C-alpha cells in the first residue's frame, strides 16, 4: 500500500487497485479466521503493579492471544512501562515510542535486538485489526507471558557488563528496561552474593559476560508471573562484593574486588561536585517508637544496598548525641487489678484507651488490649466467683518499644461483659449475667475518660507504613539528591505526631531507616511483615505512604490506591484532605491489588503523594515544609473519615 501511494505514476486506476488489494487482504484474513473460529474471552493484563481487563481472541498457540490494536488498555500498559503507543487507521499499524511498529499482515519484528518471525501475525477478526500478544515484547521492550486468564507484561534485563576494570577489581553493571527494586543478600555453603531484580524477566538469547578474575556468574529466571531475575556471584577465594545503586534505578552496580585492592573501586564516585547533597531529614522525637515485631534475622554477613548520595554536612558533635530537646514519652502503667465485689477494677497511671473483642476458639473469651501500657508484674491469674466467668488472666502481651497489656476473661458461657470508665484512670469490668448470642463475635474500642471525643481518633489504632526503607531506598531523584525512603519516613513521622494529637493510637511499621523484616528479604517477606504488623496489633486502619516514579519525567500527580471494598470508603473520604495537602494533579482513586492492601484485614489505602521523578514534584518532595503539608492533608482526611465513621462519642461496651 505504501509503495502504491508513494510511486509517481499517472495511472488513474492505481488508487482503485490499492483499495481492491486491501479488501482482498481483509477478505482472506476474515476467511482464515472464520475457519479456525477463534474463541473470545476476557483476560487480565498485569503490568508494574497495575491490572486491566481486556477482550482477547485465542490462537493456535497456547501462549499467544490476539489483542485489538486500538484498545486503550494497550496505551495504559505502555504508559506503565514509560513508553507510548499510537494506532494508525490508515496504516493499520500500532507504533511505539521506541520507533517500532506492527502492521496488518506483518510477519517479522525486532524483539530484544533480534529479528523474530511471528508465529501469529496481525489479522482482522470481526472487522477489527488484532495484534499478537507477543508483539508487545518488541514494541515495548518487555516480556509477555500468557498464563491462564492472565497476561503478564514485565520489564526485561537489558544487559550485563564488566566496566572500569583495574588490577584489583571491576564493576558488574546490570541494566534493566525500567526502574526496578532489587534485593541483595549473601548465602553460604558455598558463599555467594545474590541479587534479586524484582519484576524483571530475562529475554530470549540473553548473554552473560565472563571475567577471568570472577567465577561463573549465573543468571536465572527465579520466578515468573510475577517475575524475579536472580543473579548469583560466587564468592570464591577472597573475592569481595559491594552493592551500590545509581540514582535512576535503571543501573545496578556490584563492585567486585580481590586481594591487592585497598578499597572498593567506586567508593569515591566521579564528578561528585555535580551531584547535589542529600536532604537531611531530622527525626521528630523519640516519642515515635520502633515497632516490636520479632522476625528472625538472616546471615550476619548479609549485604545491604547503599545509596550513592553525598553525606549532609553536620556538626560532628551532634552525630552521636541526642538533641537536648528530645521528649521521652511517659509510659502508662497498669498499677493494680483486683475484685471489688463482682466487679473487676483496673487502675492505671493515666487515662488510657483500649480495644475489646469477643472471640471463640474452642472456648469463648472476652479479650481487652491496652496499647502503650506497661504491667510491672508481667502477668497475673485471678480466680473468679462470678457465675459464667472461669478466670481472668492479665499479661504483658507485647514488650517495649510498642507495649500492649492484654486481659483475657475465660467464659463458661456466652455472657455479657460491660466495661465502664471511672475517675479517668480506672476501668471497671462487670458481669451482669445476661446471655448474648454465641454467634455474635463483636469487637470495639473504649477509653477510661468519658470526655474522650470519638470524632477524631477516639482511641482507635491506626498503622502508618512508611514505604521502603533500609536496604530498599525506593525511587530516587538525581537532581535533588533525595530518595523515597527518606521522604516517606519524614512524612509518616510528622503524620504520627498529628494523629496522636487527634487521639489515635499510632503504630509505625518503621520509625527509622530500616527494613521491617530484614535486609535482603524478598519483597513478599518485607511486605508481609508490614501487613502482619497491622493485623497482629488489631489496627482499625492502615495507611501506606509512598512517592511515585516513572521513566517518563513529565508524569505527575497524586493518587490513592485501594483494593478491598472497605478500602474504597476510606480512600474516598481521604481524597479531599490528601489533595489539599499535595496540591497536585488528582490522578484519582485507583483499584490495585497491592500486597499490603490485599493482606490487611482492616480498611487500608496506599497513597502515592507525588512523582519523585518529576522535576517539579521532586523539588517539592525534597522540601521539609512540603512534607509537613502532605502530613497535615492526610491527617485532615483521616479526621473526616473518623467523624463520619465513629459517630458515638462515648466508649463502646
Amino acid at each position: 500500500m505504501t509503495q502504491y501511494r508513494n510511486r509517481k505514476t499517472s495511472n488513474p486506476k492505481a488508487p482503485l487497485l490499492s483499495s481492491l488489494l486491501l479488501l482482498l487482504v481483509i477478505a482472506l484474513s476474515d476467511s482464515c479466521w472464520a475457519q479456525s473460529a477463534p474463541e473470545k474471552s476476557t483476560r487480565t493484563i498485569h503490568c508494574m503493579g497495575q491490572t486491566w481487563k481486556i477482550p482477547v481472541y485465542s490462537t493456535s498457540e497456547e501462549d499467544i492471544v490476539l489483542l485489538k490494536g486500538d484498545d486503550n488498555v494497550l496505551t495504559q500498559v505502555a504508559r506503565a512501562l514509560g513508553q507510548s503507543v499510537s494506532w494508525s487507521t490508515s496504516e493499520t499499524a500500532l507504533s511505539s515510542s521506541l520507533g517500532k511498529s506492527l502492521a496488518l499482515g506483518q510477519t517479522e519484528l525486532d524483539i530484544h535486538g533480534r529479528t523474530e518471525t511471528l508465529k501469529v501475525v496481525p489479522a482482522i477478526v470481526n472487522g477489527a485489526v488484532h495484534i499478537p500478544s507477543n508483539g508487545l515484547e518488541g514494541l515495548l521492550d518487555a516480556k509477555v507471558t500468557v498464563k491462564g486468564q492472565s497476561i503478564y507484561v514485565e520489564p526485561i534485563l537489558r544487559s550485563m557488563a564488566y566496566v572500569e576494570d583495574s588490577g584489583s577489581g571491576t564493576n558488574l553493571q546490570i541494566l534493566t528496561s525500567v526502574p526496578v527494586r532489587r534485593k541483595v543478600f549473601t548465602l553460604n555453603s558455598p558463599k555467594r552474593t545474590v541479587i534479586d531484580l524484582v519484576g524483571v524477566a530475562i529475554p530470549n538469547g540473553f548473554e552473560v559476560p565472563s571475567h577471568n578474575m570472577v567465577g561463573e556468574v549465573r543468571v536465572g529466571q527465579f520466578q515468573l508471573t510475577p517475575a524475579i531475575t536472580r543473579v548469583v556471584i560466587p564468592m570464591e577465594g577472597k573475592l569481595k562484593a559491594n552493592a551500590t545503586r545509581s540514582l535512576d534505578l535503571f543501573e545496578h552496580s556490584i563492585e567486585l574486588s580481590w586481594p591487592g585492592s585497598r578499597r572498593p573501586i567506586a567508593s569515591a564516585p566521579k564528578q561528585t561536585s555535580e551531584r547535589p547533597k542529600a536532604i537531611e531529614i531530622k527525626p521528630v522525637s523519640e516519642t515515635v517508637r520502633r515497632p516490636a515485631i520479632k522476625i528472625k534475622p538472616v546471615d550476619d554477613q548479609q549485604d545491604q544496598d547503599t545509596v550513592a548520595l553525598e553525606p549532609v554536612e553536620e556538626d560532628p558533635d551532634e552525630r552521636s548525641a541526642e538533641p537536648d530537646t528530645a521528649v521521652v514519652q511517659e509510659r502508662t502503667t497498669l498499677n493494680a487489678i483486683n475484685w471489688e465485689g463482682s466487679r473487676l477494677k483496673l487502675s492505671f497511671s493515666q487515662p488510657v484507651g483500649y480495644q475489646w473483642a469477643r472471640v471463640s476458639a474452642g472456648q469463648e473469651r472476652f479479650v481487652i488490649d491496652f496499647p502503650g501500657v506497661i504491667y510491672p508484674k508481667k502477668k497475673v491469674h485471678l480466680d473468679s466467683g462470678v457465675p459464667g466467668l472461669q478466670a481472668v488472666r492479665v499479661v504483658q502481651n507485647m514488650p517495649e518499644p510498642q507495649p500492649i497489656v492484654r486481659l483475657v476473661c475465660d467464659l463458661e458461657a456466652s455472657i455479657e461483659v460491660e466495661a465502664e470508665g471511672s475517675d479517668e484512670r480506672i476501668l471497671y469490668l462487670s458481669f451482669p449475667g445476661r446471655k448474648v448470642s454465641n454467634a455474635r463475635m463483636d469487637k470495639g474500642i473504649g477509653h477510661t475518660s468519658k470526655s474522650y471525643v470519638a470524632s477524631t481518633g477516639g482511641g482507635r489504632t491506626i498503622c502508618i507504613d512508611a514505604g521502603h526503607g533500609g536496604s530498599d531506598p525506593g525511587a530516587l531523584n538525581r537532581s535533588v539528591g533525595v530518595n523515597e525512603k527518606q521522604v516517606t519516613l519524614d512524612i509518616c513521622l510528622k503524620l504520627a505526631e498529628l494523629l496522636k494529637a487527634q487521639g489515635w493510637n499510632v503504630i509505625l511499621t518503621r520509625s527509622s531507616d530500616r527494613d521491617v523484616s530484614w535486609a535482603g528479604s524478598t519483597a513478599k517477606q518485607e511486605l508481609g511483615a508490614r501487613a502482619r504488623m497491622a493485623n497482629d496489633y488489631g489496627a482499625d486502619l492502615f495507611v501506606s505512604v509512598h512517592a511515585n516514579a516513572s521513566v517518563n519525567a513529565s508524569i505527575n500527580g497524586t493518587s490513592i490506591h485501594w483494593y478491598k471494598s472497605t478500602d474504597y470508603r476510606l480512600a474516598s473520604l481521604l481524597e479531599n484532605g490528601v489533595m489539599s495537602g499535595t496540591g497536585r494533579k488528582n490522578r484519582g482513586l485507583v483499584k490495585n491489588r497491592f500486597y499490603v492492601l490485599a493482606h490487611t484485614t482492616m480498611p487500608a489505602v496506599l497513597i502515592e503523594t507525588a512523582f519523585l521523578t518529576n522535576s517539579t514534584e521532586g523539588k517539592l518532595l525534597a522540601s521539609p515544609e512540603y512534607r509537613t503539608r502532605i502530613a497535615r492533608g492526610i491527617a485532615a482526611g483521616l479526621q473526616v473519615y473518623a467523624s463520619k465513621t465513629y459517630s458515638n462519642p462515648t466508649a463502646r461496651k
Side-chain angles (χ1 to χ4, degrees):
M1 290 170 55
T2 304
Q3 291 177 345
Y4 275 101
R5 191 162 40 247
N6 293 337
R7 182 177 299 164
K8 295 181 179 179
T9 176
S10 59
N11 185 356
K13 296 182 179 180
L16 178 59
L17 290 173
S18 176
S19 300
L20 289 173
L21 283 173
L22 178 59
L23 289 173
L24 180 60
V25 170
I26 293 174
L28 290 174
S29 177
D30 271 341
S31 173
C32 174
W33 282 101
Q35 294 175 10
S36 58
E39 180 183 348
K40 185 177 182 180
S41 63
T42 299
R43 307 278 179 102
T44 301
I45 289 187
H46 303 260
C47 181
M48 302 298 288
Q50 301 182 59
T51 59
W52 303 269
K53 297 290 186 180
I54 187 170
V56 305
Y57 284 96
S58 61
T59 71
S60 58
E61 302 290 332
E62 288 187 5
D63 58 346
I64 300 176
V65 295
L66 286 173
L67 313 167
K68 190 178 178 185
D70 61 354
D71 197 306
N72 184 57
V73 169
L74 300 184
T75 302
Q76 298 179 59
V77 171
R79 186 181 296 124
L81 291 168
Q83 309 290 345
S84 63
V85 293
S86 59
W87 174 255
S88 170
T89 303
S90 61
E91 301 289 341
T92 60
L94 184 67
S95 302
S96 74
S97 53
L98 294 177
K100 300 179 182 180
S101 62
L102 187 56
L104 177 65
Q106 185 173 325
T107 59
E108 292 184 338
L109 180 65
D110 179 0
I111 299 179
H112 309 149
R114 299 154 60 110
T115 300
E116 301 279 355
T117 299
L118 298 175
K119 294 181 180 179
V120 178
V121 300
I124 295 177
V125 184
N126 288 342
V129 179
H130 285 66
I131 64 169
S133 54
N134 63 330
L136 295 178
E137 294 191 344
L139 293 176
L140 301 177
D141 203 16
K143 179 72 173 178
V144 178
T145 306
V146 177
K147 182 180 180 182
Q149 297 301 307
S150 296
I151 304 170
Y152 292 84
V153 183
E154 299 175 298
I156 62 166
L157 180 62
R158 270 193 175 153
S159 67
M160 287 176 57
Y162 292 101
V163 297
E164 299 183 12
D165 263 14
S166 72
S168 57
T170 185
N171 273 309
L172 177 59
Q173 186 183 75
I174 304 170
L175 298 179
T176 54
S177 59
V178 303
V180 298
R181 290 193 312 115
R182 73 171 182 196
K183 293 287 186 178
V184 181
F185 53 97
T186 300
L187 295 177
N188 293 311
S189 301
K191 186 175 180 181
R192 56 212 187 273
T193 295
V194 179
I195 305 103
D196 277 350
L197 301 170
V198 181
V200 176
I202 303 174
N204 294 332
F206 183 82
E207 296 183 359
V208 180
S210 60
H211 194 285
N212 57 4
M213 292 297 292
V214 181
E216 181 186 0
V217 174
R218 304 191 305 276
V219 179
Q221 197 67 68
F222 182 72
Q223 178 180 303
L224 260 179
T225 62
I228 295 178
T229 290
R230 174 161 289 184
V231 180
V232 181
I233 305 172
M235 295 287 99
E236 298 175 353
K238 295 185 178 181
L239 185 68
K240 296 181 180 179
N242 180 43
T244 62
R245 188 190 293 266
S246 72
L247 289 178
D248 56 16
L249 285 179
F250 285 95
E251 178 184 321
H252 308 267
S253 185
I254 309 297
E255 299 168 350
L256 301 171
S257 58
W258 43 81
S261 62
R262 284 176 285 181
R263 60 175 174 78
I265 300 164
S267 59
K270 297 180 180 180
Q271 300 178 341
T272 53
S273 60
E274 296 182 6
R275 178 174 292 172
K277 295 176 180 178
I279 306 299
E280 180 183 20
I281 300 180
K282 297 181 179 180
V284 179
S285 77
E286 286 302 310
T287 58
V288 182
R289 303 183 299 277
R290 294 179 65 176
I293 180 166
K294 296 181 179 179
I295 298 181
K296 184 179 179 181
V298 206
D299 197 324
D300 290 337
Q301 298 181 6
Q302 280 188 331
D303 294 308
Q304 295 188 11
D305 288 357
T306 57
V307 182
L309 296 174
E310 290 186 15
V312 178
E313 294 183 358
E314 55 183 338
D315 188 342
D317 294 333
E318 294 180 357
R319 291 175 184 168
S320 59
E322 291 290 331
D324 294 336
T325 56
V327 178
V328 179
Q329 181 179 1
E330 181 183 354
R331 285 283 184 226
T332 302
T333 58
L334 173 58
N335 294 329
I337 176 170
N338 56 277
W339 287 104
E340 279 191 1
S342 61
R343 295 197 305 173
L344 190 64
K345 178 182 178 182
L346 292 86
S347 301
F348 298 89
S349 60
Q350 55 186 333
V352 65
Y354 58 87
Q355 304 158 7
W356 62 266
R358 183 181 292 273
V359 298
S360 177
Q363 177 185 8
E364 189 164 330
R365 290 164 293 162
F366 187 90
V367 180
I368 305 181
D369 279 349
F370 300 92
V373 176
I374 294 293
Y375 185 47
K377 293 184 178 181
K378 303 300 181 186
K379 63 179 179 179
V380 68
H381 182 281
L382 299 176
D383 292 326
S384 167
V386 176
L389 176 65
Q390 255 184 353
V392 175
R393 294 172 285 127
V394 179
V395 64
Q396 187 72 56
N397 190 52
M398 294 291 288
E400 290 275 13
Q402 290 277 9
I404 294 179
V405 169
R406 172 165 290 181
L407 180 146
V408 179
C409 298
D410 294 321
L411 305 176
E412 293 178 342
S414 300
I415 63 170
E416 187 173 357
V417 181
E418 292 182 349
E420 180 184 1
S422 174
D423 189 31
E424 300 290 314
R425 295 172 297 174
I426 295 175
L427 180 69
Y428 283 101
L429 295 183
S430 302
F431 309 87
R434 293 187 295 269
K435 288 193 174 184
V436 296
S437 169
N438 56 14
R440 282 181 51 199
M441 294 295 112
D442 293 339
K443 63 179 181 178
I445 58 96
H447 204 279
T448 56
S449 174
K450 293 183 178 180
S451 61
Y452 204 75
V453 180
S455 62
T456 53
R460 288 165 176 83
T461 299
I462 185 168
C463 184
I464 303 298
D465 174 44
H468 306 276
S471 62
D472 176 17
L476 304 166
N477 185 305
R478 184 187 299 276
S479 63
V480 297
V482 68
N483 59 36
E484 185 178 1
K485 67 177 182 178
Q486 293 172 307
V487 169
T488 60
L489 178 60
D490 189 45
I491 292 173
C492 289
L493 291 176
K494 297 174 187 294
L495 176 61
E497 294 301 306
L498 294 169
L499 294 179
K500 287 182 193 177
Q502 288 184 9
W504 293 90
N505 295 316
V506 179
I507 298 169
L508 286 152
T509 58
R510 66 182 184 94
S511 56
S512 61
D513 183 14
R514 60 184 287 268
D515 296 85
V516 178
S517 53
W518 62 84
S521 62
T522 65
K524 185 175 181 180
Q525 288 168 328
E526 174 68 13
L527 297 173
R530 296 169 188 252
R532 188 162 54 251
M533 181 181 293
N535 294 337
D536 289 349
Y537 272 98
D540 296 286
L541 298 177
F542 178 89
V543 175
S544 185
V545 178
H546 287 254
N548 218 332
S550 173
V551 292
N552 185 344
S554 65
I555 294 180
N556 63 90
T558 302
S559 57
I560 304 177
H561 300 256
W562 61 279
Y563 178 67
K564 307 183 295 292
S565 58
T566 54
D567 300 346
Y568 181 77
R569 184 172 184 273
L570 172 60
S572 61
L573 292 175
L574 275 176
E575 186 174 19
N576 286 340
V578 171
M579 293 311 305
S580 66
T582 66
R584 305 302 297 168
K585 171 185 174 182
N586 188 350
R587 299 178 64 87
L589 308 181
V590 185
K591 184 176 182 179
N592 264 320
R593 197 183 187 278
F594 290 142
Y595 191 98
V596 292
L597 303 182
H599 290 81
T600 43
T601 58
M602 69 292 301
V605 294
L606 187 149
I607 301 172
E608 294 282 9
T609 54
F611 277 80
L612 197 57
T613 48
N614 178 270
S615 59
T616 300
E617 295 185 349
K619 292 176 183 178
L620 287 172
L621 290 169
S623 164
E625 292 76 17
Y626 185 69
R627 295 193 294 266
T628 299
R629 175 178 162 178
I630 291 174
R632 288 174 177 166
I634 298 173
L638 287 167
Q639 193 165 15
V640 171
Y641 177 86
S643 65
K644 293 181 179 295
T645 306
Y646 312 131
S647 57
N648 187 356
T650 61
R652 290 179 287 174
K653 309 299 189 291

